[in-house]
Amino acid sequence: MTDASTPSANRSQVKVVLCDDHPIWRSGVRADLGANFWVVGEAGDADEAIAVIGETQPDLVVCDLHMPKGGGIKVARECGEDSKVVMLTVSEQERDLLDAVAAGAAGYLVKSTPPDELRDGLWRAAQGEPVFSPALAALVLGEFRRLAKGTESHSALSDREREVLTYVARGHTYKEIGAELFIADKTVENHVRNILSKLHLNRRQELIRYAVEHGLD
């Protein structure tokens, strides 16, 4: 549902759509977001989310992974190119993280994230920075280590990308990583974006290979 009663936002506010099948959760996140975010719509399932996103054209979509009618994966797949979709979920499972990235999610945060960290992460995501928690960064790093054992050379990270991701997994901010490695914050962000792009590619190839091997094509 769109939020027609909300007054016009100022230029610095991030337009947000909240997607979760629990209205109480949406109310809690809305209260936690603060003045820098303007909630322009809410949805309780994937189909409703896609419709609301199309109507409101938000900067950011905060979406639960497991909603009715396809969940956050369907939302990211359908809307990820037009709006930045960040999963906010209870799941810390590697499979869920990798599937979300492959579907086009710009970030993946857990619902236990403290409000100040959540606001910071969502703000950075709205500005185009890929965001995920340190624990989930460690899962991404582990996935690349696994992929590196394969025969495809493009599965591997560069030395610099591996270095950046290791710092992310330790909980460092992009600014801190830049200072440690003597590179610009934006360069760190670009490395993370390249990492996620590689993971997206490899994940898609894995799914295609699985389908072919199991006669699902």
Side-chain angles (χ1 to χ4, degrees), residues 2-10 13 16 30 37-42:
T2 56
D3 193 347
S5 64
T6 305
S8 296
N10 61 52
Q13 284 181 311
V16 183
R30 178 194 282 262
F37 297 88
W38 177 32
V39 178
V40 296
E42 298 184 10

Side-chain angles (χ1 to χ4, degrees), residues 108-144:
Y108 192 106
L109 299 170
V110 293
K111 287 185 175 180
S112 58
T113 303
D116 56 340
E117 293 181 19
L118 176 62
R119 285 190 293 271
D120 178 65
L122 294 180
W123 178 263
R124 288 187 288 119
Q127 311 313 310
E129 187 175 314
V131 295
F132 43 96
S133 72
L136 298 173
L139 288 179
V140 173
L141 187 58
E143 172 72 355
F144 274 109

Side-chain angles (χ1 to χ4, degrees), residues 173-205:
T173 65
Y174 289 4
K175 184 176 182 179
E176 291 169 343
I177 297 169
E180 287 286 335
L181 300 179
F182 303 101
I183 57 179
D185 302 1
K186 190 68 176 178
T187 302
V188 176
E189 179 187 325
N190 288 337
H191 280 309
V192 175
R193 195 182 310 281
N194 290 339
I195 290 165
L196 293 182
S197 293
K198 286 185 178 182
L199 182 60
H200 188 167
L201 174 64
N202 288 320
R203 191 63 176 165
R204 286 177 58 85
Q205 288 177 330

Side-chain angles (χ1 to χ4, degrees), residues 2-200:
T2 56
D3 193 347
S5 64
T6 305
S8 296
N10 61 52
R11 292 177 184 271
S12 65
Q13 284 181 311
V14 174
K15 292 171 60 179
V16 183
V17 168
L18 299 178
C19 309
D20 194 281
D21 53 330
H22 296 95
I24 293 176
W25 177 86
R26 298 199 304 265
S27 297
V29 174
R30 178 194 282 262
D32 284 340
L33 286 179
N36 290 329
F37 297 88
W38 177 32
V39 178
V40 296
E42 298 184 10
D45 63 51
D47 289 345
E48 184 182 8
I50 291 166
V52 170
I53 292 165
E55 180 180 346
T56 60
Q57 297 295 303
D59 305 305
L60 184 69
V61 178
V62 182
C63 190
D64 185 35
L65 187 67
H66 300 296
M67 294 187 300
K69 301 184 180 179
I73 297 296
K74 182 176 181 179
V75 175
R77 189 177 296 120
E78 294 288 332
C79 305
E81 294 207 359
D82 299 318
S83 299
K84 296 173 180 67
V85 179
V86 174
M87 300 298 172
L88 187 56
T89 175
V90 298
S91 175
E92 296 185 58
Q93 297 299 310
E94 179 180 18
R95 175 66 180 266
D96 287 337
L97 167 65
L98 299 177
D99 286 349
V101 171
Y108 192 106
L109 299 170
V110 293
K111 287 185 175 180
S112 58
T113 303
D116 56 340
E117 293 181 19
L118 176 62
R119 285 190 293 271
D120 178 65
L122 294 180
W123 178 263
R124 288 187 288 119
Q127 311 313 310
E129 187 175 314
V131 295
F132 43 96
S133 72
L136 298 173
L139 288 179
V140 173
L141 187 58
E143 172 72 355
F144 274 109
R145 285 172 178 157
R146 185 184 67 78
L147 288 169
K149 295 177 181 178
T151 58
E152 293 134 351
S153 60
H154 57 255
S155 293
L157 298 176
S158 69
D159 289 342
R160 177 63 89 187
E161 288 168 344
R162 190 178 297 106
E163 197 172 19
V164 166
L165 192 53
T166 299
Y167 275 107
V168 173
R170 292 173 181 166
H172 291 278
T173 65
Y174 289 4
K175 184 176 182 179
E176 291 169 343
I177 297 169
E180 287 286 335
L181 300 179
F182 303 101
I183 57 179
D185 302 1
K186 190 68 176 178
T187 302
V188 176
E189 179 187 325
N190 288 337
H191 280 309
V192 175
R193 195 182 310 281
N194 290 339
I195 290 165
L196 293 182
S197 293
K198 286 185 178 182
L199 182 60
H200 188 167

